[in-house]
Amino acid sequence: MSEKPKILHQAIVTKSRLFTVEAVEFKFSNGVERTYERILAGGGGGAVMMVAMLDDEHVALIREFAGGINEYTLTLPKGAVDLGETLEHAANRELQEEIGFAARSITFLKRLSLSPSYISGFIDIFLAEDLYPSVLEGDEPEPLELVKWPLANLDELIARDECNEGRAVAALYLARDHLAKR
Amino acid sequence: MSEKPKILHQAIVTKSRLFTVEAVEFKFSNGVERTYERILAGGGGGAVMMVAMLDDEHVALIREFAGGINEYTLTLPKGAVDLGETLEHAANRELQEEIGFAARSITFLKRLSLSPSYISGFIDIFLAEDLYPSVLEGDEPEPLELVKWPLANLDELIARDECNEGRAVAALYLARDHLAKR
C-alpha cells in the first residue's frame, strides 16, 4: 500500500443550507498533485442505520418519500446523530421517531462509507433487538409507513425496485449473516 | 402507499466544479409543503460498479485512495457512464482502466441509490465474468492496486475497516447470492 497522500491545501468552495463542498489538494507519494472536491457530511456527528427485529423473524422497514430520487423507497430507519448524543442513543431515538419502537439491545455491525471518494463521513449500522413500543415525535412531512418483512425473504425484498438504498441493502445482508451465525 | 408529492418549484442553489445542489419544493398528499435540498449526480449519464470474477472463486478488488474520507479503501471497480455510452460499455471500459481486464460476460444485478433522500441518481451493479487481459489508460493519480479476493471469504473482507463502501458491500453480497443460486 502506498503512503497516504499529504494534504497541501483545503478550502470551502461553496455552502448551501444542507451541504458544504470542500476542495482538497493532495500530493501523492509518487509526486502527483491532484485537487479533489468532496461533500462534507452534515453536522459532523455521524449517522446511524438500524436493522430492527420486530420478532425473531421480521425486520422493520419504512416506506418513505426520498426527495433526492423523487420516489418512495422501502428502506431502513436511519438518521443523523445529534451533537453530544451517543451512537446508541441516536439509534434508539431514531427508532422511536421512525417506527414507534425502542430497543433494549443494540449491537454494532459495521461502519459504512457512502461514496468515499466524494463524500466525507460514515454511517454506523446497528442490529436492534428486544423491541418495545415507544413513540417519539419526528419531523417527517407525512407519517412513515412501517412494513414488517421476513428476513428469510431477503431475496424477494432486494429484487424490488423500491428497495434500492445501497447502505440498507448492505445492512440487511450484514444482519442476516450475523444472525445466521448465532 | 401515499400519492407521490407534487413538485411546486425547483431551482439550482449552488454549483461547484463537481457538484450541483438543487432546492426542490414538494407538496405532499396531506397538504404539507417541504423544501428539500439534493445533490444532482454528476453528468447525468449514471454510474456502474462491477463484481469482476478473475476465475471461478476470486473477485477483483481495488485498493484506491478515497479523497472524501482521506483513507485508502478496498473496494470494487466503478465509474461514471460517459455521454452516449451504454452501461455495458462503461462497465467494460472501467474494468480495463481500473483492473486491466475486459469481460466477455456482463450480467446486470441491481440498480442501487446512494442516499436517496439527498442525492439524485443511481449506480448499476454488474457481474463481470469470462475476463481477458486488456488495458486502457485511466486518469488515476497513482496506479490502483489489484487485490484478488476469494468470494468464499467475504465475511473476512467485510470485517476489515478498509472495506467500507456501502454500495460495494451490497454488490459483493448480491453477487455471492447470485452465483450460489446457479
Side-chain angles (χ1 to χ4, degrees):
Chain A
M1 198 186 315
S2 302
E3 202 189 327
K4 217 170 121 175
K6 288 181 178 58
I7 294 178
L8 299 180
H9 186 252
Q10 58 195 120
I12 303 302
V13 173
T14 183
K15 271 189 184 193
S16 70
R17 182 169 56 91
L18 290 188
F19 303 109
T20 300
V21 179
E22 186 184 46
V24 188
E25 198 182 333
F26 288 103
K27 182 172 187 169
F28 286 76
S29 61
N30 61 3
V32 172
E33 296 181 13
R34 187 73 66 94
T35 301
Y36 286 43
E37 274 192 0
R38 64 180 181 186
I39 295 161
L40 300 185
V48 291
M49 175 177 272
M50 286 68 66
V51 182
M53 299 304 294
L54 293 164
D55 54 41
D56 285 349
E57 292 171 12
H58 293 87
V59 62
L61 303 176
I62 51 169
R63 187 173 273 119
E64 177 180 38
F65 178 69
I69 61 169
N70 193 22
E71 295 289 349
Y72 278 90
T73 59
L74 195 53
T75 189
L76 292 172
K78 64 176 181 296
V81 179
D82 289 339
L83 273 179
E85 198 180 30
T86 65
L87 294 171
E88 288 74 10
H89 186 272
N92 238 332
R93 179 182 48 72
E94 288 289 345
L95 286 176
Q96 292 170 83
E97 290 176 6
E98 298 201 339
I99 66 167
F101 285 90
R104 291 191 188 87
S105 162
I106 302 262
T107 309
F108 173 75
L109 292 181
K110 174 83 182 160
R111 174 163 283 195
L112 293 176
S113 62
L114 191 53
S115 175
S117 296
Y118 297 108
I119 305 178
S120 78
F122 295 90
I123 193 164
D124 287 301
I125 311 297
F126 289 95
L127 179 65
E129 295 170 289
D130 202 355
L131 303 190
Y132 58 95
S134 176
V135 176
L136 284 175
E137 185 85 11
D139 64 346
E140 307 302 332
E142 65 182 0
L144 299 177
E145 184 188 346
L146 173 62
V147 177
K148 192 174 165 175
W149 193 279
L151 199 54
N153 287 359
L154 187 54
D155 289 355
E156 192 191 324
L157 171 63
I158 287 167
R160 290 192 179 197
D161 286 345
E162 64 175 337
C163 176
N164 57 50
E165 184 166 4
R167 300 172 295 180
V169 170
L172 286 162
Y173 280 121
L174 280 162
R176 186 191 63 176
D177 277 23
H178 178 90
L179 289 169
K181 273 192 226 150
R182 277 203 189 144
Chain B
M1 199 184 318
S2 302
E3 201 190 327
K4 216 169 122 175
K6 287 182 178 59
I7 293 178
L8 299 179
H9 185 253
Q10 58 195 121
I12 303 301
V13 173
T14 184
K15 271 189 185 193
S16 69
R17 181 169 57 90
L18 291 186
F19 304 108
T20 300
V21 179
E22 186 183 47
V24 189
E25 196 182 333
F26 288 103
K27 182 171 187 170
F28 285 76
S29 61
N30 61 3
V32 172
E33 297 182 11
R34 186 72 66 94
T35 300
Y36 286 43
E37 274 192 0
R38 63 180 183 185
I39 295 162
L40 301 183
V48 291
M49 174 178 272
M50 286 68 67
V51 182
M53 300 303 296
L54 294 164
D55 54 40
D56 285 350
E57 292 171 10
H58 293 87
V59 61
L61 303 177
I62 51 169
R63 187 174 273 119
E64 177 180 36
F65 179 69
I69 61 169
N70 192 23
E71 294 289 347
Y72 278 90
T73 58
L74 195 53
T75 188
L76 292 171
K78 63 176 182 297
V81 179
D82 290 339
L83 273 179
E85 197 181 32
T86 64
L87 294 172
E88 287 76 9
H89 186 272
N92 239 330
R93 179 181 50 70
E94 289 288 346
L95 286 177
Q96 292 169 84
E97 290 176 6
E98 298 202 338
I99 66 166
F101 286 91
R104 292 190 187 88
S105 163
I106 302 262
T107 309
F108 173 75
L109 292 181
K110 175 81 183 162
R111 173 163 283 195
L112 293 177
S113 61
L114 191 54
S115 176
S117 296
Y118 297 108
I119 305 178
S120 78
F122 295 91
I123 194 163
D124 287 301
I125 311 297
F126 289 95
L127 178 65
E129 295 170 290
D130 203 355
L131 303 190
Y132 58 94
S134 175
V135 176
L136 284 174
E137 186 87 10
D139 64 345
E140 307 302 333
E142 65 182 0
L144 299 177
E145 184 188 347
L146 173 61
V147 176
K148 193 174 165 175
W149 192 279
L151 199 53
N153 288 359
L154 187 54
D155 288 356
E156 193 191 322
L157 171 64
I158 287 167
R160 289 192 180 198
D161 286 345
E162 64 175 338
C163 176
N164 57 50
E165 184 166 3
R167 300 173 296 181
V169 170
L172 286 162
Y173 280 121
L174 281 161
R176 186 191 65 176
D177 277 22
H178 179 90
L179 289 169
K181 272 192 225 151
R182 277 209 187 137

